[in-house]
Amino acid sequence: MLVNYGYLHQQFGEVDEYIEDLRHLVSTGEFTLGPFVEKFEKKFAEYIGVKHVISTNTGTDALILALKSSGIKYGDEIITVPNTFYATVGAIVAVGAQPVFVDCDKRMQIDPDLIVQAITPKTKGIVPVHWMGCPADMDRIMKIANQHNLVVVEDACPAVGATVNGKRCGSFGKANGFSFHPLKPLNVWGDGGSITTDDDDVAEFLTRYRNHGMTDRDHIEMWGINSRIQPIQAIVATKVLDTVDHSNDIRIRNAQLLDQGLSDLEEYINFPERSSKYKDVYQLYVIQAKKRDQLVEYLQSQEIECRVHYPCPLHLQKAAKEMGHKGGDFPECEKQADEIITLPAHQYIVPEQIEYIIEHTRKFYLP
Ligand SMILES: Cc1ncc(COP(=O)(O)O)c(C=O)c1O
């Protein structure tokens, strides 16, 4: 039985429901910003529970612009984790700031205790990542940030729909970044992203900055860039937003079935700590497994398409050479990198496929 990792052909195979809006877009010629983008931004702001959404070209741009609009600049130290996608750190470096890594916890999220230890007089902010669509401990992080006068920019790229005590990720920090990359919970036909904020000044700055700094066609008050979302992607995002909660619910069901079905393999498998305080939307379903590489090979041979996100943490990447880190600096991240495996649990995986994954994982450890 094939257990497919990719699902975009299933999700977007039927284009008819988009055609009417696409025809309308083409007939109006509103190809840069305009009403389709405005409609999406309003709807997404209501969904996340913030005053403003400013959409961007990518999630990476959303993070860069969120940091810039929050006042982060050259030389500032920004605390984040080494177990994330490259773009978290790329965005910090892009605004001239200095990333400072701290280890993650047993939930695979930034460890708040270690944030406190990493604060120096140069620390200006924290970028918690809701890694795998699982929320960071935002209550504690916001408390630490307030005590130390630090800015929080959530990397909520993989976490549309995730919550902490019922409050949505992307509504805690001063300005926060989301990605609409095809493999994110709210996904489009290419790249896209958004910044969420309650801050009127941040929103005003970003609305202009992402559009060349223009106040109108003939005037600018500052130098900006072009980081506009494509209206075609805003149309797709507006539609997908209607179904994202349903897709997340199926992912959650699949994750629970996998957790239950694999729970008696505790000698071989470790799950991230689960807590009812968080709604994890499982953009990735990740567990730690003994003999990981052999397990990946075996499952692949049984047509179960699994992945590893990621085998090398960021502090050990060549790009981080100047930071001077070595193996052993972040033991929890490093142990996880050696053992993690991502199993397919997306919204098109059915319980029979979950059973098949469980059966073969069991066969691998208990032949
Ligand atoms: C945690 C995280 N941050 C940032 C990004 C960057 O988003 P994008 O690919 O839309 O630039 C991604 C996804 O790609 C991500 O998973």
Side-chain angles (χ1 to χ4, degrees):
M1 181 191 298
L2 174 67
V3 187
N4 53 309
Y5 187 83
Y7 53 90
L8 299 176
H9 60 293
Q10 291 167 291
Q11 185 183 1
F12 294 121
E14 190 51 73
V15 290
D16 284 1
E17 58 185 302
Y18 295 89
I19 292 294
E20 200 182 315
D21 280 344
L22 294 176
R23 269 192 220 290
H24 187 196
L25 170 66
V26 175
S27 74
T28 58
E30 295 272 10
F31 295 143
T32 47
L33 298 177
F36 291 99
V37 173
E38 283 163 26
K39 183 177 168 191
F40 169 69
E41 291 180 341
K42 191 163 174 287
K43 190 168 167 172
F44 193 50
E46 275 165 21
Y47 178 87
I48 295 296
V50 289
K51 274 170 84 176
H52 308 283
V53 164
I54 304 94
S55 314
T56 53
N57 198 24
T58 62
T60 306
D61 270 12
L63 291 172
I64 295 171
L65 269 57
L67 287 160
K68 188 174 171 67
S69 61
S70 299
I72 303 304
K73 53 183 189 325
Y74 180 78
D76 293 344
E77 289 182 4
I78 304 294
I79 297 172
T80 193
V81 272
N83 67 323
T84 175
F85 183 62
Y86 317 124
T88 312
V89 177
I92 294 169
V93 172
V95 295
Q98 177 67 45
V100 173
F101 290 129
V102 299
D103 211 346
C104 64
D105 59 17
K106 301 282 182 203
R107 297 179 54 250
M108 302 187 175
Q109 307 305 323
I110 193 165
D111 185 333
D113 291 330
L114 299 177
I115 293 177
V116 177
Q117 293 171 24
I119 293 171
T120 75
K122 283 184 167 177
T123 307
K124 287 290 170 337
I126 307 168
V127 177
V129 183
H130 305 301
W131 184 231
M132 316 172 296
C134 177
D137 186 348
M138 290 314 300
D139 293 340
R140 286 194 60 204
I141 292 167
M142 292 313 293
K143 208 178 260 175
I144 294 166
N146 291 336
Q147 276 164 358
H148 295 268
N149 201 21
L150 304 177
V151 165
V152 172
V153 169
E154 293 168 70
D155 182 341
C157 281
V160 170
T163 63
V164 182
N165 287 327
K167 185 170 157 60
R168 288 211 200 273
C169 291
S171 67
F172 291 88
K174 180 163 179 164
N176 315 295
F178 283 94
S179 167
F180 306 142
H181 177 276
L183 292 177
K184 297 294 183 284
L186 178 58
N187 52 353
V188 298
W189 296 351
D191 281 310
S194 275
I195 301 137
T196 52
T197 183
D198 279 324
D199 188 309
D200 296 340
D201 294 335
V202 164
E204 198 191 325
F205 168 81
L206 287 177
T207 303
R208 288 191 204 159
Y209 186 77
R210 66 132 183 224
N211 192 22
H212 301 298
M214 290 197 289
T215 35
D216 58 46
R217 183 185 172 281
D218 299 322
H219 299 94
I220 57 166
E221 286 174 6
M222 62 177 166
W223 303 112
I225 58 168
N226 176 358
S227 181
R228 300 181 293 240
I229 194 171
Q230 303 283 314
I232 190 172
Q233 308 301 5
I235 286 173
V236 178
T238 305
K239 279 248 187 291
V240 176
L241 192 50
D242 287 336
T243 54
V244 75
D245 284 339
H246 180 62
S247 311
N248 284 343
D249 286 346
I250 300 175
R251 287 168 184 265
I252 292 166
R253 178 208 64 192
N254 286 344
Q256 285 169 348
L257 288 174
L258 283 167
D259 275 9
Q260 283 159 16
L262 298 172
S263 60
D264 63 334
L265 291 174
E266 73 267 5
E267 207 182 308
Y268 310 101
I269 286 180
N270 243 318
F271 301 90
E273 277 176 19
R274 313 285 189 208
S275 156
S276 57
K277 176 174 161 185
Y278 306 101
K279 181 177 179 185
D280 180 352
V281 298
Y282 298 96
Q283 182 246 341
L284 303 174
Y285 177 85
V286 179
I287 53 176
Q288 284 172 253
K290 296 261 153 61
K291 295 196 279 180
R292 189 266 318 274
D293 292 340
Q294 291 102 303
L295 177 64
V296 168
E297 204 177 304
Y298 173 72
L299 293 179
Q300 301 277 23
S301 75
Q302 300 305 309
E303 294 195 303
I304 298 167
E305 296 180 339
C306 44
R307 301 276 186 277
V308 175
H309 294 90
Y310 289 95
C312 177
L314 297 187
H315 66 289
L316 300 178
Q317 295 278 353
K318 208 167 168 188
K321 212 168 85 199
E322 279 178 17
M323 294 172 78
H325 286 300
K326 57 184 184 326
D329 282 358
F330 304 108
E332 189 58 44
C333 274
E334 290 169 31
K335 185 171 187 318
Q336 290 176 14
D338 288 341
E339 297 185 348
I340 44 177
I341 176 170
T342 307
L343 298 173
H346 56 75
Q347 64 267 35
Y348 294 91
I349 295 290
V350 296
E352 292 71 36
Q353 289 171 302
I354 297 283
E355 270 308 311
Y356 185 77
I357 299 173
I358 294 166
E359 181 194 320
H360 279 286
T361 309
R362 193 179 296 283
K363 230 180 225 171
F364 173 77
Y365 288 116
L366 308 169

